[in-house]
Amino acid sequence: MRKKKKWLVGMLVIVNVFLLFGCGKRQETREDKVHIGVTYYNQSDTFLNELLAQFKEQLKNPEHEELEATVTILDAAGSQRTQDDQVKELIDMGCDVLCVNLVDRADPSEIIDLARDHDVPIIFFNREPVEEDLRQWDELYYVGAEAKQSGVMQGELAAEVIQKNTQIDKNRDGKIQYVVLEGEAGHQDSIIRTGNAVDTIKNSGIELEKLSYQIANWNRVQAQNRMEQLISQYQNKIELVLANNDDMALGAIDAYKKANYTESAWPVFFGIDGTDAGLRALADSELSGTVYNDKEGQAKAMAKMVEAIGTDEEIAEKYVYLPYIKVTSENIGEFLEK
Ligand code: BGC
Ligand code: CA
């Protein structure tokens, strides 16, 4: 016992001496390594793949230059059970911090318990847990964006285009016949985006007539299938397509192309995200507008939190929400450069 204490004191002295005289060399000797474990709900998701590519990019150039970050990314393939197991695996691998994009955002309890038991902080991202769950432990964080804002912005974009262009009301009945393509049922970005987009258009004085709401789970192919059914049901009656994300707007456009409609007979399409393909469709005037889901900002915020955890700094905010930005043919240049 005594011996051990002496040894400890000796160590402390050495450390102090080192701190006094070794300041300049601190970078080389300090072990600033952080291993990050990421699991996300599905590798087929376009937006998340682009967001994670940005995150990896950010980690290559950390603000703390001496920090060396390694990252392991796992695909939960749509199963919460798989994701729970992956969290176990990542903790066993020795990850210092986890970034979790929940499969079921209402069911993070097992993951939270595991992380807390092993003292590994979690940054949830994009799929927001309910507040009560995030309060379960003080090392839980969230990075994302406010669903309501994206819905309002999509509605504003659509209202502006409809007001400027009387041709959109193809049957000239003074109303805009519309359909909505929605993301997953339980996702914070689905119902909230739809509701706010529709309300915003109505509040601008435009009369809307709802034809159909279809769930297509954020997915381009599913959206194309839904849209093919809608086209055969409503033929040329559809004047506006509001999609909860760009991939589904693109799927709807695919359906019109496949049905051999000429572009002048298409409805107008609006998306959200500003993915690479979404921006291209906007540049080609196939998409009439989108709302930028700031993946660079979100990736940066996540990287910053990871760095703070890796260097034992305090994290100021538990929640970080990056603002959305409206993208039209006028300002698209700024986004294509990103
Ligand atoms: C994005 C979608 C994405 C979803 C995944 C949303 O915020 O807009 O494109 O599929 O997150 O959780
Ligand atoms: Ca009409």
Side-chain angles (χ1 to χ4, degrees):
M1 191 67 186
R2 246 210 178 141
K3 225 178 176 181
K4 195 171 178 191
K5 244 191 188 157
K6 245 191 192 162
W7 174 83
L8 245 179
V9 171
M11 277 296 284
L12 280 176
V13 171
I14 292 170
V15 169
N16 276 329
V17 167
F18 176 74
L19 282 179
L20 273 174
F21 299 103
C23 286
K25 288 203 175 134
R26 192 164 162 257
Q27 273 120 294
E28 286 143 53
T29 32
R30 199 171 123 194
E31 261 207 39
D32 279 334
K33 276 192 190 151
V34 61
H35 188 179
I36 308 149
V38 180
T39 157
Y40 70 128
Y41 88 104
N42 206 320
Q43 69 169 2
S44 70
D45 191 281
T46 307
F47 174 74
L48 283 165
N49 286 334
E50 291 183 7
L51 168 65
L52 288 174
Q54 280 301 319
F55 181 57
K56 285 192 273 183
E57 231 12 74
Q58 286 294 329
L59 294 173
K60 280 191 209 152
N61 305 301
E63 277 179 21
H64 299 263
E65 279 167 27
E66 69 275 30
L67 190 78
E68 195 188 310
T70 47
V71 55
T72 303
I73 299 181
L74 302 176
D75 163 28
S79 155
Q80 190 56 60
R81 289 244 342 238
T82 303
Q83 189 165 59
D84 295 349
D85 291 342
Q86 288 176 337
V87 164
K88 240 177 268 160
E89 198 183 318
L90 291 166
I91 291 174
D92 289 344
M93 270 169 79
C95 286
D96 308 294
V97 50
L98 298 172
C99 295
V100 178
N101 174 248
L102 287 163
V103 175
D104 180 353
R105 68 184 195 94
D107 190 17
S109 297
E110 185 155 343
I111 288 178
I112 292 173
D113 289 346
L114 273 167
R116 188 175 30 201
D117 289 349
H118 294 84
D119 204 23
V120 181
I122 307 181
I123 302 165
F124 291 102
F125 64 102
N126 169 264
R127 299 162 77 90
E128 185 172 349
V130 296
E131 204 184 329
E132 213 184 334
D133 282 326
L134 220 73
R135 301 266 162 237
Q136 282 191 45
W137 182 36
D138 56 8
E139 294 284 0
L140 304 175
Y141 307 92
Y142 179 71
V143 175
E146 295 219 59
K148 179 176 175 184
Q149 189 188 32
S150 54
V152 169
M153 286 183 169
Q154 188 184 52
E156 287 170 353
L157 285 169
E160 202 177 307
V161 169
I162 293 166
Q163 269 153 356
K164 265 195 206 150
N165 189 341
T166 50
Q167 316 271 57
I168 292 170
D169 180 11
K170 284 188 286 195
N171 64 352
R172 309 220 165 249
D173 66 348
K175 294 181 227 164
I176 301 297
Q177 280 70 28
Y178 77 103
V179 302
V180 178
L181 293 169
E182 296 202 287
E184 293 156 282
H187 196 297
Q188 82 275 353
D189 288 339
S190 298
I191 317 162
I192 299 179
R193 282 179 179 171
T194 303
N196 284 286
V198 169
D199 288 349
T200 304
I201 300 172
K202 285 184 181 159
N203 291 342
S204 76
I206 293 166
E207 206 178 324
L208 287 180
E209 185 187 342
K210 167 178 157 183
L211 297 179
S212 184
Y213 283 22
Q214 295 288 323
I215 291 178
N217 297 310
W218 309 118
N219 183 281
R220 183 165 178 165
V221 177
Q222 285 187 39
Q224 181 185 336
N225 291 335
R226 298 282 170 282
M227 201 68 225
E228 281 170 11
Q229 285 162 13
L230 292 172
I231 294 172
S232 64
Q233 192 175 346
Y234 297 105
Q235 275 121 24
N236 54 5
K237 287 210 186 80
I238 304 166
E239 298 171 338
L240 164 69
V241 177
L242 296 171
N244 284 167
N245 76 347
D246 283 356
D247 256 14
M248 293 189 292
L250 294 169
I253 295 170
D254 294 339
Y256 276 90
K257 287 183 179 167
K258 207 175 150 194
N260 280 324
Y261 272 65
T262 53
E263 267 189 54
S264 58
W266 289 6
V268 281
F269 305 89
F270 292 87
I272 290 174
D273 277 343
T275 57
D276 297 344
L279 292 176
R280 243 178 286 130
L282 183 61
D284 293 344
S285 309
E286 294 185 343
L287 199 62
S288 293
T290 189
V291 179
Y292 201 72
N293 195 352
D294 185 2
K295 53 179 180 283
E296 286 81 9
Q298 291 164 30
K300 211 178 227 171
M302 287 165 67
K304 236 175 152 177
M305 279 186 180
V306 164
E307 284 183 42
I309 292 166
T311 53
D312 277 334
E313 264 169 46
E314 269 211 44
I315 298 182
E317 298 146 304
K318 214 173 158 68
Y319 282 89
V320 177
Y321 294 108
L322 274 295
Y324 283 99
I325 311 158
K326 286 188 247 182
V327 195
T328 63
S329 51
E330 273 144 49
N331 66 348
I332 190 171
E334 293 163 39
F335 297 89
L336 288 170
E337 280 159 25
K338 285 203 185 201

